[in-house]
Amino acid sequence: MSTQTQIHNIGYRKYDGPRLGRAYARRSLYTQSLRGAYGLGRSAKSKVLPMILFGVMCVPALIIVAVAVATKASALSVDYTRYAILMQLVIALYVASQAPQSVSRDLRFKSVPLYFSRPIERADYVLAKYGAMASALFILTAAPLLVLYVGALLAEMDFSDQTEGFAQGLVSVALLSLLFGGIGLVLAALTPRRGFGVAAVIAALVISYGAVSTVQAIAWGTDNLDAVTWLGLFSPITLIDGVQTAFLGAASSFPGNTGPDAVAGAVYVLVVLGLIAGSYAALMLRYRKVGL
């Protein structure tokens, strides 16, 4: 009995269209990750928490503006640089909820090596994810500052003072976004389990602040003023507080308003920049191993 071999033409054709390359892939991943940080392009359930947190960030600013306009106040009751410090718990919850969803799912479903096949490379993936997380945080923290600024101008407060304060606030939240975004992504990338990532981020951002604030209060009560200043180096939010106190004219939230001077402030800046650079390096190292 003879066998016959047949070759079937099933119609596959070579792709002849444009190849957009790494820059397009990196930009697409950044856009998708930024949209995902607010649940856009995802299920309705995924939009609930980030949108609620965004609203919670903005509502106090609206109330402050409404009171200022109604009472014809000459200044806002909360400084631009102070707002993010007061709302730090909301910011920490946002990072804890969105950093794991940005990277943990890729680890859990082992899709990271597919990104690195072509044309995207490891640095493109890290830059896109880090940039998207920092951008999402900047939107979250800068939006209420914009509400305050517009409200202050509507209340006919001094234009130059409000513009200067608004600019200082934007610099502060930009640093905060880079720092918190980097720390959140590093901790979330350590495990494919989202719950563990959430717990790790909350511990790093919330528990560290509580511990540092407690020890600072003890140091202040025992007249150890130098310790109050240097203890601020051990919590992300107190780092931002120290930088803006030293260089952005902000009022310190340290016990007794004992914020760092210019010399100590320079150390704060170096630590913040070191943590940002270290977060990027740690992500590169992490995805060197994951991509294999």
Side-chain angles (χ1 to χ4, degrees):
M1 183 176 178
S2 62
T3 59
Q4 295 181 349
T5 302
Q6 295 181 347
I7 299 176
H8 297 277
N9 181 5
I10 58 178
Y12 287 123
R13 297 173 57 186
K14 182 179 179 181
Y15 176 72
D16 296 323
R19 299 187 180 276
L20 302 175
R22 287 176 55 189
Y24 178 81
R26 182 171 59 244
R27 186 167 61 253
S28 298
L29 181 59
Y30 166 82
T31 303
Q32 182 232 3
S33 300
L34 178 56
R35 285 168 52 83
Y38 286 95
L40 303 177
R42 300 170 59 203
S43 65
K45 181 180 178 181
S46 300
K47 298 178 177 64
V48 174
L49 183 57
M51 292 303 179
I52 288 177
L53 293 176
F54 183 82
V56 171
M57 281 292 295
C58 292
V59 166
L62 290 169
I63 295 174
I64 292 169
V65 166
V67 171
V69 171
T71 60
K72 298 182 179 179
S74 59
L76 296 170
S77 58
V78 175
D79 292 336
Y80 294 98
T81 50
R82 181 74 175 155
Y83 193 87
I85 304 297
L86 295 175
M87 303 297 291
Q88 60 175 289
L89 180 59
V90 179
I91 300 170
L93 290 175
Y94 181 85
V95 178
S97 64
Q98 299 309 310
Q101 78 84 22
S102 179
V103 296
S104 295
R105 291 189 305 167
D106 290 343
L107 295 171
R108 185 167 65 252
F109 297 117
K110 302 184 186 301
S111 59
V112 175
L114 298 178
Y115 284 108
F116 297 160
S117 58
R118 62 177 187 180
I120 198 170
E121 296 185 3
R122 187 174 299 105
D124 300 317
Y125 182 89
V126 172
L127 281 172
K129 289 293 184 178
Y130 198 158
M133 191 73 250
S135 298
L137 274 171
F138 184 75
I139 293 171
L140 181 77
T141 53
L145 300 188
L146 181 61
V147 172
L148 291 176
Y149 181 63
V150 172
L153 296 184
L154 291 176
E156 298 182 350
M157 297 180 188
D158 186 78
F159 176 80
S160 60
D161 288 345
Q162 296 304 315
T163 301
E164 180 182 6
F166 180 55
Q168 291 171 341
L170 290 181
V171 172
S172 176
V173 298
L175 277 177
L176 183 148
S177 300
L178 288 169
L179 179 61
F180 278 40
I183 292 173
L185 287 179
V186 168
L187 295 174
L190 293 177
T191 173
R193 297 181 179 272
R194 182 175 181 178
F196 290 164
V198 171
V201 173
I202 290 177
L205 300 183
V206 178
I207 297 179
S208 66
Y209 173 74
V212 167
S213 297
T214 301
V215 179
Q216 281 182 322
I218 295 172
W220 171 255
T222 56
D223 294 328
N224 197 343
L225 303 184
D226 289 339
V228 173
T229 297
W230 298 112
L231 283 168
L233 294 171
F234 297 96
S235 168
I237 194 65
T238 53
L239 275 171
I240 297 300
D241 194 337
V243 170
Q244 65 182 20
T245 298
F247 299 110
L248 297 177
S252 176
S253 61
F254 290 4
N257 294 324
T258 56
D261 56 16
V263 175
V267 177
Y268 272 69
V269 171
L270 290 176
V271 173
V272 169
L273 296 178
L275 285 173
I276 293 171
S279 297
Y280 176 79
L283 287 170
M284 288 293 292
L285 180 62
R286 171 59 173 155
Y287 285 102
R288 180 177 295 118
K289 296 180 179 179
V290 173
L292 294 176

